Amino acid sequence: MSMILLADSGATKAEWCLINGTKETTLFTAGISPYFLSTNAIRELVQNEVAAAVKNAPVSKVFFYGTGCANPENAKSVKKALQAVFPSAHISVNTDLMAAARALCGSEKGIACILGTGSNSCFYNGKTITKNSPGIGYVLGDEGSGAYLGKKVLQYYMYDTFDEDLRARFDAKYVTTPVEILDNVYKKPLPNRYLASFTMFLAENRGHFMIENIIEDGLNDFFFQHLNKYNEVWKYPVSFVGSVADGFKDVIQGLCESYEFELGKILKNPMQGLVSYHSES
C-alpha cells in the first residue's frame, strides 16, 4: 500500500504525519529552516528523527511544507536532503502558505490566511496561489500576527498606558524591566518570537477594555491592510490558520461580519487539513 509522509515545518518545530491507508502516525522533530541548516544537516535530521521513528517505512510520496521554501535554492536543498533519505519516493517541497491554502480550502477557491508568530494571506484558486499580499516582515508589517500584537502589549507597558490593575498583572507575570525588554528586542536573536510570546498576556486578560482594544485593533489592521485589497474577498470564504487565529476566533468572526466577509474555517495548525487534502487527492 502507498504510504504518504507529510511535513509542516517552522524554524523551531516540525510536525510529521505518516499516512498508511486509514492509519496516521504523527511525530514532532526540530524545525527545518534551509536558511540555517545545510542539505547534509537536513538529511541527518530526517534520517535520525523521522525515518528511524517510522521504522524506514516504504514511503512513496513526501509532501514537505516549510519556512524559507519560497526561495528556489532553499527548496532545492530540502528536496535533495529528503530524496537522499527516501530515494524511491516522489518528493514535493512547498511553502507554508501553500500548506495553509490546501489545509483550509482543499480544492476549492478561497482566501487563506496565516495568523501565527507572523502573518500572511493569499487567494487560492483551488490549485495554485494566484495572489499574495506582500509580506514585509515583523518590523514593517505582519499585521495581526503574534509579533504585532505582542509589540502592542509592550508599547502599552513601556508608555505606561496600562491602568494600575493591568500593569500589576503584567509585572507579576513577567518580572522584567524596560531595559531587559529593549535588550531582548534589539540585541538578542529571534525578537519576533519574543514579541509574540506576549500574546499570552492578551489571552489571559480577556474582557478588559484595553486588552480587547489591542486585539481588535491589531486584527483589524490585518483585515484593512491585506484582506480588504483582494477583489475575491467578497466572493469566496476567508479562512484562517495559526495560534492567533485560533485564540481570538471570536474577534475574527466579528470582523468578518463587520467587513461582510464569509468566514470559512479557523484551524490552530494545518496538519489535519493537509491529511484530508492529500488523502482525498
Side-chain angles (χ1 to χ4, degrees):
M1 181 175 287
S2 174
M3 292 191 188
I4 300 173
L5 181 64
L6 307 180
D8 169 43
S9 179
T12 57
K13 184 178 73 173
E15 181 176 3
W16 302 77
C17 184
L18 180 68
I19 306 173
N20 182 8
T22 58
K23 184 181 178 182
E24 299 171 17
T25 303
T26 300
L27 63 140
F28 295 89
T29 68
I32 293 174
S33 172
Y35 281 115
F36 304 124
L37 296 177
S38 67
T39 302
N40 282 339
I42 296 171
R43 178 187 58 76
E44 289 180 9
L45 188 155
V46 175
Q47 182 67 62
N48 296 334
E49 296 191 38
V50 181
V54 298
K55 298 179 173 56
N56 294 302
V59 174
S60 58
K61 296 178 182 178
V62 179
F63 295 94
F64 182 95
Y65 299 90
T67 183
C69 291
N71 181 309
E73 288 303 310
N74 286 349
K76 183 178 178 181
S77 173
V78 173
K79 185 172 183 177
K80 184 177 179 181
L82 291 169
Q83 200 73 74
V85 180
F86 304 103
S88 302
H90 165 77
I91 310 291
S92 174
V93 176
N94 223 311
T95 64
D96 54 354
L97 189 58
M98 180 60 86
R102 287 176 171 173
L104 292 167
C105 305
S107 299
E108 302 295 322
K109 295 178 180 179
I111 306 291
C113 309
I114 297 174
L115 289 177
T117 300
S119 65
N120 208 341
S121 65
C122 68
F123 173 65
Y124 173 73
N125 69 4
K127 293 183 179 179
T128 61
I129 293 170
T130 60
K131 292 183 181 179
N132 174 216
S133 184
I136 56 177
Y138 75 96
V139 174
L140 295 176
D142 265 1
E143 291 83 3
S145 70
Y148 192 81
L149 295 175
K151 181 164 61 176
K152 295 290 185 184
V153 171
L154 292 181
Q155 286 173 347
Y156 271 59
Y157 179 74
M158 300 284 278
Y159 289 147
D160 204 19
T161 305
F162 280 146
D163 62 19
E164 190 175 326
D165 177 44
L166 276 181
R167 189 171 186 86
R169 294 187 204 181
F170 185 96
D171 285 333
K173 181 174 178 62
Y174 294 107
V175 193
T176 188
T177 64
V179 171
E180 188 176 34
I181 289 170
L182 293 174
D183 194 51
N184 276 285
V185 172
Y186 292 107
K187 292 183 178 180
K188 293 187 178 180
L190 305 174
N192 58 326
R193 290 185 203 160
Y194 174 75
L195 292 171
S197 70
F198 291 94
T199 56
M200 185 59 68
F201 186 73
L202 297 173
E204 292 175 351
N205 292 281
R206 294 295 304 271
H208 191 291
F209 76 95
M210 287 188 181
I211 297 296
E212 297 302 322
N213 285 346
I214 291 173
I215 298 168
E216 186 162 352
D217 289 349
L219 291 173
N220 182 66
D221 287 346
F222 177 78
F223 274 65
F224 181 78
Q225 293 291 351
H226 299 283
L227 299 187
N228 215 26
K229 295 175 181 176
Y230 292 101
N231 293 329
E232 298 85 356
V233 78
W234 287 278
K235 300 177 183 177
Y236 303 104
V238 185
S239 297
F240 301 82
V241 66
S243 55
V244 170
D246 182 67
F248 304 125
K249 60 181 66 175
D250 60 315
V251 180
I252 288 174
Q253 183 175 358
L255 285 168
C256 282
E257 291 172 359
S258 297
Y259 279 84
E260 298 184 350
F261 298 161
E262 179 189 348
L263 177 61
K265 298 176 182 176
I266 298 179
L267 303 175
K268 188 171 184 178
N269 61 65
M271 184 53 78
Q272 201 53 49
L274 289 173
V275 169
S276 298
Y277 175 84
H278 286 290
S279 296
E280 292 169 5
S281 299

